[in-house]
Amino acid sequence: MVEAWHADARGLPPGRQGLGMDRRGTTVLRGGQRADAAGVVRFRTIRPGGCPGRTPHGRRKAVLAGRETLTTQLVLPDEIRARIYARPARPATRRAP
């Protein structure tokens, strides 16, 4: 199982309060899925905003046999992040499961 979560475009992480919004108790921009037979998972999401004072990043947690084995942050290199954030944001679309 791999879990993934990150802040919204304004920098508010799931389960938090701030920026005029209250997401306590929610799982917005947070989810998890089991790996396929090859050990692969794929997530489709929006580009994260930076939490106040932090560079935009996403968090990942790997769980094996019910035990947390790794929690890490994913931060793109500056040159890639600059290209991504230079593009205008697209409206969110919802794909059928």
Side-chain angles (χ1 to χ4, degrees):
M1 167 73 84
V2 176
E3 296 179 15
W5 67 97
H6 62 76
D8 67 11
R10 291 185 274 179
L12 185 63
R16 299 279 176 89
Q17 179 180 11
L19 304 172
M21 296 172 19
D22 188 348
R23 289 215 174 118
R24 291 175 293 185
T26 69
T27 56
V28 173
L29 299 174
R30 184 175 191 128
Q33 57 183 287
R34 296 192 186 285
D36 66 15
V40 175
V41 296
R42 288 185 176 85
F43 292 94
R44 183 176 177 151
T45 188
I46 65 170
R47 62 183 186 196
C51 299
R54 309 242 357 240
T55 191
H57 64 282
R59 294 182 186 254
R60 305 297 182 265
K61 177 167 60 171
V63 179
L64 181 62
R67 292 189 348 232
E68 182 177 332
T69 58
L70 172 71
T71 301
T72 188
Q73 294 183 42
L74 174 66
V75 177
L76 298 172
D78 290 341
E79 49 286 348
I80 293 173
R81 195 173 61 250
R83 283 196 322 242
I84 291 170
Y85 285 85
R87 295 185 216 156
R90 291 182 289 169
T93 59
R94 189 173 184 105
R95 290 178 40 181

